[in-house]
Amino acid sequence: MSYSLSTVDLLPEWLRAHIEAIEDSKRAGFMFLYLPSLANLTTLQGVHKTHGAMDVYSASSTSDAVAARFRLEDLEGGRPRPLWQAHGSVTDVVGELMQLPPHGSTGAPNLALPLPGELWVPPFAR
């Protein structure tokens, strides 16, 4: 009987779930950018465009990841506003992002969120 271990099986237990989340996103069609390069990786970015939206996540460590969904048409402008965003561990943000319904379907986020620094301050509070 032959038994082969996958690369994930050889990783420390605490790291496996994060790597498996990235593998799940690859199977779902995400493409990757390695910043600044694969040989000197400090940030991994995953990008997936479908149904008129772009889902993206960026991870600097297993505990420092962000994810967002943008309308493709909004990317033509200067500062697109996300329809959805999250911050947390790779496992959490990639899992939440992949759980979102397809853009345009029932239950999918459809209202643009404010960008940081866009907090409205009433004139009397200035």
Side-chain angles (χ1 to χ4, degrees):
M1 176 177 172
S2 89
Y3 179 78
S4 66
L5 291 174
S6 73
T7 304
V8 174
D9 293 329
L10 300 175
L11 296 172
E13 185 65 35
W14 64 267
L15 185 57
R16 287 184 197 163
H18 303 290
I19 299 300
E20 288 169 353
I22 294 168
E23 287 180 333
D24 289 345
S25 72
K26 180 170 176 51
R27 282 190 290 277
F30 277 75
M31 304 297 289
F32 298 95
L33 298 169
Y34 309 100
L35 302 174
S37 68
L38 185 56
N40 188 26
L41 184 63
T42 61
T43 302
L44 172 70
Q45 289 187 337
V47 179
H48 186 240
K49 296 178 185 177
T50 187
H51 303 289
M54 180 176 73
D55 291 345
V56 60
Y57 68 87
S58 180
S60 298
S61 72
T62 58
S63 61
D64 185 16
V66 293
R69 173 176 283 175
F70 297 91
R71 276 189 285 265
L72 287 176
E73 63 196 43
D74 292 347
L75 297 176
E76 304 295 323
R79 285 185 75 193
R81 294 177 10 189
L83 301 172
W84 174 90
Q85 61 188 6
H87 178 265
S89 72
V90 170
T91 304
D92 291 342
V93 302
V94 173
E96 290 176 37
L97 181 60
M98 293 188 44
Q99 293 283 327
L100 291 176
H103 178 64
S105 68
T106 302
N110 61 5
L111 297 175
L113 302 172
L115 290 171
E118 285 192 358
L119 177 63
W120 180 74
V121 179
F124 66 84
R126 291 183 189 171

